[in-house]
Amino acid sequence: MPPGSNIQNLFFSDKLVDGLNKSKKIKFSKNADAKYTLMVEPQWMYAGWSGFVMQPGKLSADMSFVETANPSHVLAKIKGDKIEGTGSKVDYSMEYGRISAAYEKTGKELGKEIKKVKK
């Protein structure tokens, strides 16, 4: 595993990629040999809760597209603010499920914004 990573970060980043790949125009993958890299820096997470009613997990993150060979060259910055993880096929009864749904929804919303810019 890369330095500073842990199994949860790997799981959550997989969910972000799943959300990004809901768009059929561009495909994202982890550890690809690509010209550009998406950097995601979570700023705030809320696990929500589950019971008689459910409160979804939420995520605020700073996202940057950088050149893979020169990460200091930032091409674009995007901020996701308190994006609610809804509409995912995950286990909402556990905290990790609600947080992973927020990552997936963040990826999906980012994919929609990329699609708008590409038009």
Side-chain angles (χ1 to χ4, degrees):
M1 275 190 288
S5 68
N6 60 40
I7 199 72
Q8 289 142 337
N9 287 341
L10 294 172
F11 176 74
F12 294 146
S13 64
D14 285 345
K15 291 312 233 176
L16 185 85
V17 170
D18 289 348
L20 280 163
N21 286 331
K22 301 279 183 192
S23 167
K24 305 298 181 213
K25 301 288 181 186
I26 297 177
K27 288 296 174 196
F28 285 79
S29 62
K30 288 174 49 178
N31 304 320
D33 183 27
K35 186 173 181 178
Y36 304 109
T37 298
L38 171 63
M39 307 293 288
V40 179
E41 296 179 40
Q43 300 299 315
W44 176 82
M45 281 186 268
Y46 172 67
W49 44 268
S50 182
F52 182 66
V53 293
M54 194 265 305
Q55 174 72 42
K58 298 175 187 171
L59 173 68
S60 292
D62 294 333
M63 296 165 275
S64 303
F65 285 96
V66 300
E67 283 186 3
T68 303
N70 182 13
S72 64
H73 185 226
V74 178
L75 303 163
K77 288 185 177 187
I78 302 110
K79 179 159 185 69
D81 189 33
K82 297 180 183 168
I83 297 176
E84 287 189 5
T86 56
S88 179
K89 296 178 182 175
V90 298
D91 181 7
Y92 287 112
S93 64
M94 300 301 291
E95 291 85 2
Y96 66 83
R98 294 187 299 275
I99 292 171
S100 68
Y103 270 85
E104 187 173 348
K105 182 70 173 203
T106 298
K108 188 174 180 181
E109 293 300 315
L110 178 58
K112 285 180 187 177
E113 293 303 313
I114 292 169
K115 190 176 177 181
K116 286 180 193 175
V117 171
K118 279 191 66 181
K119 285 186 177 182

